[in-house]
C-alpha cells in the first residue's frame, strides 16, 4: 500500500490550561474523503486549523507527502498552498470580484500571468456553477454563492487536499444543497477531503470514513453505514441520536 | 441701553468699525504667511502620513521590539502637548548636534506628531478588517507581506480616510504653534502686523478666515475622495 497523503500524528493544541485537541492521529490516503463529526466545541475546527498551521499546534506533527508542515510564517506559505481550506464564514476578499477572489492566488502566489490566472479562475467558477456571477463582489452574493466562490478559490490553487470547516453551517437551509452538490461533485472526481460537518446525509453519501470526535479526541471511527447504524461507543450513539432525531 | 444725549455718536461706531483699509494692507502680508503655512503643512502631511503608515504597519508587524517602539512612540506623542514637542525639536535637537532652521524644525515637529496619531489610525484600520480574510489569504499560500499588500491595504483606505482627515486638519491648525519658534507662517505674520499697528481684532479675524478656507478645502477634498473610493 502506498504511504498516506496526509499524516497527522499525536496532534495536540492547548489554549492555556484548556486542551482543545488531545493527541489526535489521522492518516488520509489520496482520494479519500474523511468526515469528522462531533459536538460543538469538541475541537474539530481547531484540529483542521492546526493541520495547515492557521493555529500552531502545541505538540505533534503533520506531514503532507512526507513534508512536515511547520516552520516560520516565511516557510509555511509554500506548504499551505498545497492544502485548500474552506471556511465556515467563507472569508472572501471583500474588495475583489468573484473572479479576482479566485484569480489572486494563481496570479500572486503561483506567479501565473494575469490573463492566464483569470482564465483559470473562470474555469473554476464554471466548475462551481458561478459562471453568471464572476464580476460581482462578495457583498452582492448570497451565502451559498459566496461559499462556492470560496471553493473555487481553493480549487484554483490545485490543492492536494481540501479541508472543509463546517462549510454549510452559516447558510440558510435552502442554500445548503447548492454547496453540498459542489462538494459531492468534487468527491466524484476523487478530490481528497477532510470535512467537518453536521450534514449526516452528505456524510452518508460521500464519506469513506467517519470519525467521531469528543472533548478533543477521536472516540470512534468507521464507515458511515457502520457509524450511523451501529456505533460501538455510548458517546457516539448519544450524539447521533440528538442529530438524527 | 440708554444712550446719553451728550455722548458723541461716532464713538461706539469707531470701536466696532472694521478697518477696511487695514484689510488691504494686511491681506498680502498674511498671504505670505499663508504660503509658508501651506508649504509646511504640505510637507508635514506628506512626511507624517508616510511615517505614520510605516509606524502603523510596524505596530501590526511580526517584530516585537518594533511593535514596542511604535507603542512607546505613540504614547509619547499622545501624552505630550504639541507645543512642547515643537520646543523639543527646536531647542533640544541642537544639543545633540542636529541643527535645523525654524522652517525645518517646524516640518519635523509637525510630521513626528502627525505620524504618531496616523500610526494609530492605520493600526485601527488594519485591525478592523476581519481576521478571516487574512486566514483565507494565508490558506492559499500568501506570505504575510502579500496579505498586507493585496488584501489588507487595499481595504483600509476608505475607513481610514475620515480619521486621517481629522488628523491632517489638526496638523494645519497645529502649524500655528510654530509662531513661537518664529516661523513666519500665517499666525506669526499676523502677530507682526498686530505688534506694529495694534489691531488684534481685524487681524485675528482675518487669520481665522484664512485658516477656515484652507481647512474647508481639506474637508471638501476628503469628502469627495471618500465618495469616489469604492464601498463594498
Amino acid at each position: 500500500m502506498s504511504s498516506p497523503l496526509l499524516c497527522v500524528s499525536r496532534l495536540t493544541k492547548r489554549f492555556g490550561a484548556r486542551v482543545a485537541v488531545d493527541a489526535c492521529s489521522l492518516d488520509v490516503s489520496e482520494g479519500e474523503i474523511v468526515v469528522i463529526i462531533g459536538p460543538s466545541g469538541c475541537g474539530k475546527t481547531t484540529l483542521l486549523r492546526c493541520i495547515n498551521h492557521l493555529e500552531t499546534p502545541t505538540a505533534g506533527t503533520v506531514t503532507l507527502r512526507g513534508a512536515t508542515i511547520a516552520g516560520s510564517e516565511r516557510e509555511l506559505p509554500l506548504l499551505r498552498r498545497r492544502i485548500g481550506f474552506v471556511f465556515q464564514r467563507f472569508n472572501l476578499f471583500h474588495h475583489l470580484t468573484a473572479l479576482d477572489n479566485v484569480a489572486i492566488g494563481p496570479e500572486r502566489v503561483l506567479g501565473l500571468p494575469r490573463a492566464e490566472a483569470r482564465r483559470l479562475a473562470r474555469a473554476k467558477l464554471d466548475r462551481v456553477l458561478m459562471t453568471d456571477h464572476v464580476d460581482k463582489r462578495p457583498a452582492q452574493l448570497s451565502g451559498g454563492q459566496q461559499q462556492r466562490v470560496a471553493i473555487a478559490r481553493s480549487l484554483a490553487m490545485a490543492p492536494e487536499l481540501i479541508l472543509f470547516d463546517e462549510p454549510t453551517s452559516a447558510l440558510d437551509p435552502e442554500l445548503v444543497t447548492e454547496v453540498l452538490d459542489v462538494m459531492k461533485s468534487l468527491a466524484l472526481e476523487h478530490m481528497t477531503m477532510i470535512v467537518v460537518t453536521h450534514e449526516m446525509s452528505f456524510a452518508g453519501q460521500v464519506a469513506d470514513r467517519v470519525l467521531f470526535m469528543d472533548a478533543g479526541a477521536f472516540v470512534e471511527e468507521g464507515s458511515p453505514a457502520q457509524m450511523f447504524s451501529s456505533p460501538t461507543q455510548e458517546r457516539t450513539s448519544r450524539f447521533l441520536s440528538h442529530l438524527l432525531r | 441701553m440708554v444712550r446719553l444725549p451728550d455722548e458723541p455718536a461716532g464713538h461706539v461706531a469707531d470701536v466696532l468699525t472694521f478697518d477696511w483699509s487695514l484689510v488691504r494692507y494686511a491681506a498680502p502680508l498674511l498671504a505670505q504667511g499663508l504660503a509658508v503655512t501651506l508649504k509646511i503643512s504640505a510637507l508635514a502631511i506628506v512626511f507624517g502620513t508616510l511615517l505614520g503608515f510605516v509606524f502603523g504597519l510596524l505596530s501590526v508587524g511580526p517584530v516585537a521590539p518594533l511593535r514596542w517602539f511604535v507603542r512607546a512612540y505613540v504614547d509619547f506623542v499622545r501624552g505630550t502637548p504639541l507645543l512642547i514637542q515643537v520646543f523639543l525639536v527646536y531647542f533640544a535637537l541642537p544639543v545633540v548636534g542636529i541643527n535645523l532652521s525654524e522652517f525645518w524644525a517646524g516640518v519635523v515637529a509637525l510630521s513626528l506628531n502627525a505620524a504618531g496619531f496616523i500610526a494609530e489610525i492605520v493600526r485601527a484600520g488594519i485591525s478592523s478588517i476581519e481576521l478571516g480574510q487574512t486566514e483565507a489569504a494565508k490558506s492559499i499560500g500568501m506570505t504575510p507581506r502579500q496579505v498586507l499588500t493585496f488584501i489588507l491595504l487595499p481595504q483600509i483606505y476608505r475607513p481610514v480616510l475620515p480619521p486621517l482627515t481629522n488628523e491632517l486638519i489638526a496638523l494645519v491648525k497645529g502649524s500655528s504653534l510654530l509662531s513661537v519658534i518664529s516661523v513666519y507662517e500665517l499666525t506669526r505674520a499676523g502677530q507682526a502686523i498686530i505688534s506694529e499697528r495694534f489691531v488684534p481684532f481685524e487681524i485675528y479675524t482675518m487669520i481665522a478666515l484664512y485658516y477656515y478656507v484652507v481647512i474647508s478645502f481639506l474637508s471638501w477634498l476628503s469628502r469627495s475622495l471618500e465618495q469616489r473610493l469604492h464601498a463594498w
Side-chain angles (χ1 to χ4, degrees):
Chain A
M1 197 186 121
S2 61
S3 60
L5 174 67
L6 182 83
C7 294
V8 177
S9 171
R10 299 195 57 77
L11 193 77
T12 301
K13 177 66 183 180
R14 284 190 211 97
F15 294 104
R18 200 171 69 81
V19 182
V21 177
D22 192 3
C24 283
S25 297
L26 168 69
D27 286 355
V28 180
S29 322
E30 194 145 2
E32 195 179 15
I33 295 164
V34 176
V35 168
I36 301 176
I37 58 173
S40 57
C42 74
K44 309 174 299 257
T45 293
T46 307
L47 174 68
L48 277 199
R49 292 166 57 83
C50 282
I51 288 177
N52 74 345
H53 275 236
L54 284 179
E55 211 77 72
T56 309
T58 314
T61 56
V62 180
T63 57
L64 180 69
R65 290 192 209 280
T68 304
I69 299 177
S72 66
E73 282 298 324
R74 230 178 271 276
E75 298 154 333
L76 280 172
L78 283 171
L79 295 157
R80 281 206 189 105
R81 71 189 193 191
R82 297 166 59 188
I83 303 176
F85 201 110
V86 175
F87 298 84
Q88 182 175 1
R89 304 226 40 110
F90 334 129
N91 297 352
L92 292 183
F93 308 130
H94 289 353
H95 61 306
L96 300 178
T97 61
L99 187 68
D100 285 331
N101 261 278
V102 182
I104 195 167
E107 186 185 351
R108 301 300 183 179
V109 177
L110 301 179
L112 297 187
R114 186 168 172 75
E116 200 175 321
R118 301 187 119 221
R119 212 167 22 246
L120 175 68
R122 222 172 266 279
K124 296 305 174 191
L125 286 167
D126 284 346
R127 174 80 189 63
V128 298
L129 309 177
M130 286 293 292
T131 316
D132 298 336
H133 306 287
V134 290
D135 291 324
K136 291 186 183 161
R137 285 176 203 275
Q140 298 168 290
L141 299 172
S142 73
Q145 291 171 333
Q146 289 191 57
Q147 193 59 296
R148 286 186 281 149
V149 173
I151 293 173
R153 177 174 64 185
S154 283
L155 291 175
M157 299 300 293
E160 292 164 49
L161 86 159
I162 305 185
L163 312 174
F164 290 85
D165 180 21
E166 305 202 27
T168 57
S169 32
L171 297 177
D172 291 334
E174 73 271 22
L175 302 178
V176 168
T177 321
E178 62 187 55
V179 171
L180 290 183
D181 284 347
V182 167
M183 292 169 64
K184 283 176 198 166
S185 72
L186 292 178
L188 289 176
E189 291 169 14
H190 306 293
M191 170 60 78
T192 313
M193 305 196 266
I194 303 179
V195 186
V196 168
T197 188
H198 294 296
E199 297 293 333
M200 291 303 138
S201 67
F202 170 81
Q205 286 170 48
V206 306
D208 295 307
R209 194 152 43 116
V210 176
L211 286 99
F212 174 66
M213 195 172 176
D214 192 20
F218 291 132
V219 174
E220 182 172 4
E221 72 166 273
S223 71
Q226 175 193 337
M227 285 287 279
F228 295 158
S229 60
S230 50
T232 58
Q233 301 291 316
E234 194 266 332
R235 274 190 289 176
T236 315
S237 52
R238 187 150 28 100
F239 174 73
L240 287 171
S241 71
H242 284 300
L243 212 62
L244 301 173
R245 185 170 49 193
Chain B
M1 196 179 90
V2 179
R3 167 174 280 193
L4 299 175
D6 57 347
E7 189 182 20
H11 182 70
V12 174
D14 266 355
V15 174
L16 292 183
T17 299
F18 202 94
D19 185 348
W20 290 101
S21 69
L22 189 70
V23 172
R24 274 194 302 277
Y25 169 75
L29 291 173
L30 290 181
Q32 283 177 22
L34 178 66
V36 176
T37 289
L38 290 179
K39 219 188 293 178
I40 287 188
S41 299
L43 286 167
I45 283 173
V46 171
F47 294 139
T49 306
L50 284 177
L51 197 61
F53 266 78
V54 170
F55 282 178
L57 296 183
L58 290 179
S59 73
V60 294
V63 188
L66 289 174
R67 286 202 302 268
W68 301 331
F69 164 76
V70 174
R71 183 80 265 150
Y73 182 82
V74 169
D75 264 2
F76 175 78
V77 167
R78 279 205 296 210
T80 52
L82 174 57
L83 181 61
I84 303 304
Q85 294 165 14
V86 170
F87 281 141
L88 277 178
V89 169
Y90 188 58
F91 293 115
L93 283 188
V95 176
V96 292
I98 303 171
N99 282 295
L100 297 171
S101 68
E102 293 84 7
F103 180 90
W104 284 105
V107 171
V108 168
L110 290 180
S111 302
L112 290 178
N113 177 269
F117 287 96
I118 292 170
E120 197 57 12
I121 292 169
V122 169
R123 189 194 60 73
I126 290 174
S127 321
S128 75
I129 296 166
E130 335 152 281
L131 190 61
Q133 291 191 51
T134 297
E135 293 190 336
K138 282 184 184 173
S139 79
I140 57 171
M142 283 198 187
T143 61
R145 185 179 302 241
Q146 287 174 322
V147 176
L148 191 64
T149 315
F150 302 123
I151 307 301
L152 298 179
L153 281 182
Q155 293 189 65
I156 71 164
Y157 294 115
R158 199 183 149 100
V160 152
L161 195 58
L164 183 64
T165 306
N166 282 343
E167 177 47 38
L168 298 182
I169 286 173
L171 183 155
V172 174
K173 290 177 179 171
S175 71
S176 70
L177 291 176
L178 301 181
S179 56
V180 300
I181 54 167
S182 0
V183 177
Y184 191 80
E185 44 66 70
L186 180 52
T187 303
R188 184 80 188 82
Q191 285 169 342
I193 303 172
I194 293 168
S195 61
E196 175 190 320
R197 302 209 162 187
F198 199 70
V199 279
F201 173 54
E202 284 86 348
I203 299 300
Y204 280 126
T205 306
M206 288 179 74
I207 292 177
L209 274 174
Y210 277 56
Y211 278 116
Y212 181 77
V213 168
V214 172
I215 285 164
S216 300
F217 172 73
L218 262 182
S219 308
W220 169 83
L221 194 68
S222 159
R223 266 198 304 275
S224 56
L225 207 62
E226 197 181 336
Q227 275 157 14
R228 210 164 304 177
L229 284 177
H230 212 296
W232 28 82

